Amino acid sequence: MQPDSTDPKLIDVARMAGCSPATVSRVLNGNSAVNDAARIRVIHAAQILGYVPNGSARALRSTKSRLVGAIIPTLDHAIYATMVDGLQARLSEKGVSLIINTSTYDIDVEYEQAKLLVERGAESIILVGSTHRPKTLALLRQKRVAYVFTYTNSADSDGAAIGFDNERAGQTAGRFLLDLGHTRLAMIAGVTLDNDRARGRRDGFLKELANSGVELKSVTVLEGAYKVESGYACMEALMALPKPPTAVFCGSDILAAGALKFCRGVGIMVPDDVSVMGFDNLEIAELTAPELTTLEVPSKEMGRIAADYVLATPLQRLHMRQRELAIRLVVRGSTRPLPRR
Amino acid sequence: MQPDSTDPKLIDVARMAGCSPATVSRVLNGNSAVNDAARIRVIHAAQILGYVPNGSARALRSTKSRLVGAIIPTLDHAIYATMVDGLQARLSEKGVSLIINTSTYDIDVEYEQAKLLVERGAESIILVGSTHRPKTLALLRQKRVAYVFTYTNSADSDGAAIGFDNERAGQTAGRFLLDLGHTRLAMIAGVTLDNDRARGRRDGFLKELANSGVELKSVTVLEGAYKVESGYACMEALMALPKPPTAVFCGSDILAAGALKFCRGVGIMVPDDVSVMGFDNLEIAELTAPELTTLEVPSKEMGRIAADYVLATPLQRLHMRQRELAIRLVVRGSTRPLPRR
DNA sequence: TTGTAGGCGTTATCAC
DNA sequence: GTGATAACGCCTACAA
């Protein structure tokens, strides 16, 4: 917004309404009691002049910015876009604006963006996962910016966590495939570097297999970025093994969709030749052929709950610091019991 | 950010560096010449103190907020999420923050959000399409906020447009299907109310058919929200017609995917029984079976170009006000020539 | 090259 | 219930 001498300010509204700036401010903020007649005049004057308050001045004087920040890995993954959609919708209802930043899964980039958000006066920041640079969290604490981890259930001492137990989710997947009778298993995981969610899912999956007596050295785990091509390439590698798996757990529906695509291309039948399981329950999970068995992650709800948390008072927050959401197993056509041979 | 007496301010940095606030400001803004020794001392002091500038005070004093707003219909549609991803990435490189708002396709909601963005001091605003409330644009003009339309090629007198000709895109789709020999055609369009993009695609499609002598009253056009279920339901309705179409153009890949899903469920073969064409070239277009023939919309690029526009100086912008991007036809397996009977 | 001083638009603290 | 008045933290002439 360019400065402009004709741009009406609060003082102009006051003049037109025949009162002091203080009264206008009171009306605008709905705070203390103001005479009804005066209130009407102020509202009317503001309307006529097309007055729009200056948020910067407001923030400066009141130390309340009504700004919240979010740093997510990317918006190109529906799971995060949906979370942000829910977050924004809820914040918007309360007149709070959301600044969004993507870190491309890089926690150093995340730090830089956190700094910028602090500078902009963000009152709270939503982060993804629980793996962050110590200096990032130190900065937020020092500047008294509330922060929330999402997609995880492990909060640190100062922040909150809204999400689920990725390790348990991985176990659930493992159990499901084991119960189907599969013993030759493999996993296409997301990149686990600096990514507690991907790591948790993998560890939980392997743990469940080990608990059931599966030899872990027989379980191939490949890692790939959350892209269709990665899923494709990893599935190709898995099926080229001397003893290919009969069931593959993928760390994301995107990877699973890529795996399905590979199978379709080379004539491998899913689920007859191999069962494929995804994670997230994205829209695509219902569009592939066969449709994907997967674990549903409540992204939209997570965004809404994160919004509720940051909108709450510090006192209310105490009861909201740990919020674990349920993960639902969605069984569709991409998995089946291991046939007896 | 809560106020705090121990929170270092610019003046504290000045004291520690043994210089005046003005010098600190100059160093921070990299403006005028400052003695190297002093510069070093300032940077060092800021570092030690963990100084973070107050964006509100900066914005208030300099009337430059380094804030840009975007109002999009939803983040649950990959096409917008991707555009925002590109937009944010580019803005971030220049230290500009992005506030994002979703309008849920409602131009009255859009107006409210524009007001809030103006209040926050957004210097520019990215909008989708060219259909907006007159008062929305009037507000932006009055407050001297630059605005950009995306996904369209029709700018108004003050704004810029970065996108493509939806009508021509619709024609392209029509021509493609006609050239394949189809004459019994139908369309599953997006909701056209207040949506120039959906309307343009539909009108262009019908225009091309009419130009080629197709009786328009024989062409069924259904409208549905951009959801899988809508595509499914509309396709169901189309195939129940006395003379079902042999080719269906969908206003979005989402709708097309829903259409495909319906066909798969009831055993209608695509493309043998009916050709289905999408729009957008989303990731899902390569994941369905058969894969979707579609028109590629350069969402990511649009976001980047929109960012370049708002980052440009007013003078540079003059050459960037209309930017038409190419739409590419992507032929895959969901369409085929009409077999001779 | 550096410092001083004034004010950006608003809200909080007082008196009245 | 209302009005002066003084900041909030920073930038930017202008002066030195």
Side-chain angles (χ1 to χ4, degrees):
Chain A
M1 188 177 73
Q2 294 301 316
D4 193 271
S5 52
T6 68
D7 201 31
K9 330 221 165 299
L10 183 141
I11 183 89
D12 300 314
V13 177
R15 268 197 275 271
M16 187 169 198
C19 65
S20 77
T23 298
V24 176
S25 174
R26 285 191 267 259
V27 172
L28 261 43
N29 293 291
N31 291 342
S32 4
V34 175
N35 187 322
D36 269 354
R39 155 170 284 110
I40 307 269
R41 289 207 313 279
V42 166
I43 292 174
H44 188 68
Q47 175 80 37
I48 302 284
L49 293 172
Y51 169 72
V52 175
N54 181 318
S56 298
R58 233 133 101 127
L60 177 59
R61 185 57 239 237
S62 69
T63 68
K64 295 165 92 46
S65 65
R66 302 189 67 67
L67 237 36
V68 165
I71 309 179
I72 58 168
T74 172
L75 278 170
D76 272 340
H77 194 323
I79 201 151
Y80 300 122
T82 295
M83 189 272 277
V84 172
D85 194 274
L87 177 65
Q88 191 282 324
R90 190 70 121 227
L91 292 177
S92 198
E93 289 170 10
K94 305 293 183 186
V96 171
S97 294
L98 177 70
I99 299 181
I100 119 115
N101 279 99
T102 55
S103 68
T104 64
Y105 295 94
D106 183 332
I107 61 180
D108 291 309
V109 170
E110 184 186 65
Y111 169 70
E112 293 302 329
Q113 298 182 322
K115 240 174 28 183
L116 195 54
L117 286 173
V118 168
E119 189 169 329
R120 296 269 183 271
E123 295 172 0
S124 318
I125 294 188
I126 280 75
L127 299 170
V128 171
S130 57
T131 304
H132 309 281
R133 289 282 175 234
K135 62 180 178 180
T136 302
L137 303 182
L139 172 71
L140 299 182
R141 279 193 287 259
Q142 187 206 327
K143 299 296 178 184
R144 304 220 175 7
V145 176
Y147 54 89
V148 187
F149 297 161
T150 55
Y151 295 91
T152 179
N153 65 338
S154 65
D156 77 341
S157 54
D158 286 74
I162 294 166
F164 53 92
D165 185 334
N166 283 279
E167 189 166 328
R168 188 133 44 78
Q171 287 185 258
T172 303
R175 175 94 328 258
F176 174 72
L177 294 176
L178 288 168
D179 286 349
L180 250 28
H182 294 279
T183 52
R184 282 190 2 232
L185 296 145
M187 177 167 182
I188 303 178
V191 176
T192 56
L193 176 69
D194 290 338
N195 188 324
D196 46 282
R197 290 91 63 210
R199 207 172 321 118
R201 292 171 202 178
R202 180 199 62 193
D203 293 348
F205 180 70
L206 294 177
K207 183 173 166 189
E208 189 69 19
L209 303 200
N211 286 348
S212 293
V214 173
E215 285 265 14
L216 284 196
K217 64 179 198 289
S218 75
V219 181
T220 306
V221 177
L222 264 27
E223 284 192 14
Y226 288 126
K227 299 198 167 178
V228 173
E229 306 84 60
S230 302
Y232 186 101
C234 289
M235 193 64 172
E236 183 168 24
L238 289 178
M239 299 318 280
L241 291 174
K243 283 188 168 187
T246 62
V248 178
F249 171 44
C250 302
S252 157
D253 287 345
I254 300 283
L255 292 169
L260 251 39
K261 184 173 177 177
F262 167 75
C263 293
R264 184 165 65 248
V266 300
I268 295 174
M269 300 304 290
V270 176
D272 295 342
D273 297 330
V274 60
S275 284
V276 174
M277 184 166 176
F279 198 105
D280 291 343
N281 196 27
L282 302 181
E283 191 170 44
I284 59 163
E286 293 191 77
L287 297 176
T288 52
E291 298 183 11
L292 277 172
T293 291
T294 189
L295 255 23
E296 181 172 284
V297 171
S299 287
K300 180 84 74 181
E301 200 187 347
M302 221 167 353
R304 286 200 207 99
I305 295 175
D308 287 339
Y309 177 82
V310 302
L311 289 170
T313 65
L315 192 64
Q316 295 171 317
R317 284 183 190 164
L318 294 179
H319 303 285
M320 307 165 76
R321 291 198 47 233
Q322 298 264 3
R323 177 65 182 273
E324 182 158 350
L325 304 177
I327 290 295
R328 192 168 61 95
L329 175 66
V330 181
V331 180
R332 298 206 184 88
S334 67
T335 49
R336 57 163 281 189
L338 183 72
R340 313 221 172 176
R341 307 246 162 166
Chain B
M1 189 178 73
Q2 296 300 319
D4 193 272
S5 52
T6 69
D7 201 31
K9 323 209 171 307
L10 185 140
I11 184 97
D12 299 315
V13 177
R15 268 197 275 273
M16 185 171 203
C19 65
S20 77
T23 299
V24 177
S25 173
R26 285 191 268 259
V27 171
L28 261 45
N29 293 292
N31 291 341
S32 6
V34 174
N35 187 320
D36 269 354
R39 153 170 286 111
I40 307 269
R41 289 206 315 278
V42 166
I43 292 175
H44 188 67
Q47 175 79 37
I48 301 285
L49 293 171
Y51 170 72
V52 175
N54 180 316
S56 299
R58 234 137 98 126
L60 178 58
R61 183 57 239 241
S62 68
T63 69
K64 294 164 96 44
S65 65
R66 301 190 67 68
L67 236 38
V68 165
I71 309 177
I72 58 168
T74 173
L75 277 169
D76 272 340
H77 193 324
I79 201 153
Y80 300 122
T82 295
M83 188 273 278
V84 172
D85 194 274
L87 177 65
Q88 191 280 325
R90 189 71 122 223
L91 292 177
S92 197
E93 290 170 9
K94 305 293 182 185
V96 172
S97 293
L98 176 69
I99 298 181
I100 120 112
N101 279 99
T102 56
S103 70
T104 64
Y105 295 95
D106 183 331
I107 61 180
D108 291 309
V109 170
E110 183 185 66
Y111 170 70
E112 294 302 329
Q113 298 182 322
K115 241 179 20 186
L116 195 55
L117 286 173
V118 168
E119 190 169 328
R120 296 268 183 271
E123 295 172 2
S124 318
I125 293 187
I126 280 74
L127 299 170
V128 170
S130 57
T131 303
H132 309 282
R133 289 283 176 232
K135 64 179 176 182
T136 303
L137 304 182
L139 172 71
L140 300 182
R141 279 192 287 259
Q142 187 208 326
K143 299 296 179 184
R144 304 223 174 7
V145 176
Y147 54 89
V148 187
F149 297 161
T150 54
Y151 295 90
T152 178
N153 65 338
S154 65
D156 78 340
S157 54
D158 286 74
I162 295 166
F164 52 93
D165 185 335
N166 282 279
E167 189 166 330
R168 189 132 45 78
Q171 286 186 260
T172 303
R175 175 94 328 258
F176 175 72
L177 294 176
L178 287 168
D179 286 349
L180 249 30
H182 294 280
T183 52
R184 285 194 354 236
L185 296 146
M187 177 168 181
I188 303 178
V191 177
T192 56
L193 176 68
D194 290 337
N195 188 324
D196 46 281
R197 289 90 65 210
R199 205 170 325 116
R201 291 170 202 179
R202 182 198 61 192
D203 293 349
F205 180 69
L206 294 177
K207 183 173 166 188
E208 189 69 19
L209 303 200
N211 286 348
S212 294
V214 173
E215 285 265 14
L216 284 196
K217 65 178 195 295
S218 75
V219 181
T220 306
V221 177
L222 265 28
E223 284 191 14
Y226 288 125
K227 300 195 167 179
V228 174
E229 306 84 62
S230 302
Y232 187 101
C234 289
M235 193 64 173
E236 182 168 24
L238 289 178
M239 299 317 280
L241 290 174
K243 284 189 169 185
T246 62
V248 178
F249 171 45
C250 302
S252 158
D253 287 344
I254 300 283
L255 292 169
L260 250 40
K261 184 173 178 177
F262 168 75
C263 293
R264 184 165 65 247
V266 300
I268 294 175
M269 300 303 291
V270 177
D272 295 343
D273 297 330
V274 59
S275 284
V276 173
M277 185 167 175
F279 199 103
D280 291 341
N281 196 27
L282 303 181
E283 192 170 43
I284 58 162
E286 293 191 77
L287 298 175
T288 53
E291 298 183 12
L292 276 172
T293 292
T294 190
L295 255 23
E296 179 171 285
V297 171
S299 286
K300 182 82 74 179
E301 199 186 348
M302 221 165 357
R304 286 200 208 100
I305 295 176
D308 287 339
Y309 177 82
V310 303
L311 290 170
T313 65
L315 191 64
Q316 294 171 317
R317 285 183 188 163
L318 295 178
H319 304 287
M320 307 165 75
R321 290 199 48 233
Q322 299 264 2
R323 178 64 182 274
E324 185 159 349
L325 304 177
I327 289 295
R328 193 168 60 95
L329 176 67
V330 181
V331 180
R332 298 204 183 88
S334 68
T335 50
R336 56 164 281 187
L338 183 71
R340 314 221 172 177
R341 309 243 164 170

